[in-house]
Amino acid sequence: MRALIAGAGRLGTQIAQVLAAARNDVTLVDVDEDRAAELEGRLPVRLLTGDACELGFLEVAGALTADLVVAATGEDEDNLVISLLAKRQFTVPRVAARVNDAENTWLFDQSWGVDTAVPAATPLISLIEEATGASDTVALLRLSKAGVDVIETAITPESGAVGRTLAGIRLPAGAVIATVIRDGQPTVPAPEMRLQPGDELLVVSHAATEQEIHAAFQ
């Protein structure tokens, strides 16, 4: 699946990490050059700087061949424009848009090219599930096109994984840690990273069950 994500904030970055870990072709764009520079080399995605509200830039970013566009900027007006261009100009099959202000929810419908409107407070997994239109949910989400599950697990003070490095965690065969969310921010899962209480992990699995993933960290 080819995914184009507009907005490299927390949500956009997390979505990019998960979709890329599931072996999708992901492009993440942001208007802020400093933000793009900060993420360079930290994500397995194509990073571009530019205004996704501009038709020409969307084309350069790959909207013509995108299977999914996610408008995840912090501005509702921008997300509506991006959605409309993606659907009307590039006939993108699936368009999801983040709603920052609940009072604007009524605008986010198919008249603006939005297939799925997702409130900003919606959990990451729900946003990805809605965005991809996945209906076969196993654990939290099955990305049917990629043939993998994305399973979320949290590290509690009682977890046996507290203080251990990621390299020291024995994961079931076919499982890979996509990202570690610490203090609300996604971080690159480096092997030497030590797990702390409160960490949330997103694990991409081709075969392991939700119970097997949880057991590896508890």
Side-chain angles (χ1 to χ4, degrees):
M1 179 175 68
R2 293 186 178 89
L4 171 58
I5 303 166
R10 179 188 175 188
L11 275 180
T13 301
Q14 289 178 347
I15 294 169
Q17 284 181 306
V18 171
L19 292 180
R23 301 179 184 176
N24 294 290
D25 183 350
V26 180
T27 298
L28 178 63
V29 305
D30 199 277
V31 70
D32 187 339
E33 292 185 2
D34 291 337
R35 177 58 176 164
E38 179 185 345
L39 294 173
E40 189 69 44
R42 294 176 52 192
L43 300 174
V45 304
R46 178 188 180 208
L47 277 166
L48 294 177
T49 302
D51 189 351
C53 292
E54 296 181 357
L55 186 65
F57 178 73
L58 271 182
E59 183 172 351
V60 170
L64 277 171
T65 58
D67 301 299
L68 164 70
V69 165
V70 179
T73 79
E75 300 293 333
D76 285 344
E77 296 86 351
D78 290 351
N79 289 340
L80 287 171
V81 170
I82 294 166
S83 298
L84 186 63
L85 290 176
K87 183 64 71 174
R88 300 291 174 81
Q89 297 296 322
F90 299 104
T91 62
V92 176
R94 193 75 182 169
V95 178
R98 174 185 182 184
V99 183
N100 297 281
D101 186 341
E103 293 184 0
N104 294 331
T105 302
W106 66 277
L107 289 167
F108 287 72
D109 58 21
Q110 292 189 353
S111 66
W112 277 94
V114 179
D115 295 307
T116 303
V118 186
T122 300
L124 168 67
I125 289 295
S126 297
L127 176 56
I128 301 172
E129 182 178 18
E130 293 286 351
T132 57
S135 57
D136 178 17
T137 303
V138 178
L140 290 178
L141 168 68
R142 175 176 292 278
L143 292 172
S144 57
K145 289 187 178 180
V148 298
D149 294 334
V150 178
I151 299 170
E152 185 176 41
T153 190
I155 305 300
T156 67
E158 294 76 29
S159 297
V162 171
R164 295 172 62 186
T165 64
L166 294 182
I169 302 295
R170 296 188 74 181
L171 290 175
V176 177
I177 299 173
T179 186
V180 177
I181 302 169
R182 176 172 292 174
D183 298 326
Q185 296 297 320
T187 59
V188 178
E192 66 275 10
M193 184 178 190
R194 292 189 180 276
L195 291 171
Q196 302 176 5
D199 286 347
E200 298 174 59
L201 296 91
L202 296 180
V203 180
V204 175
S205 171
H206 293 270
T209 65
E210 181 180 10
Q211 290 73 24
E212 289 173 328
I213 295 298
H214 290 326
F217 295 94
Q218 303 310 319

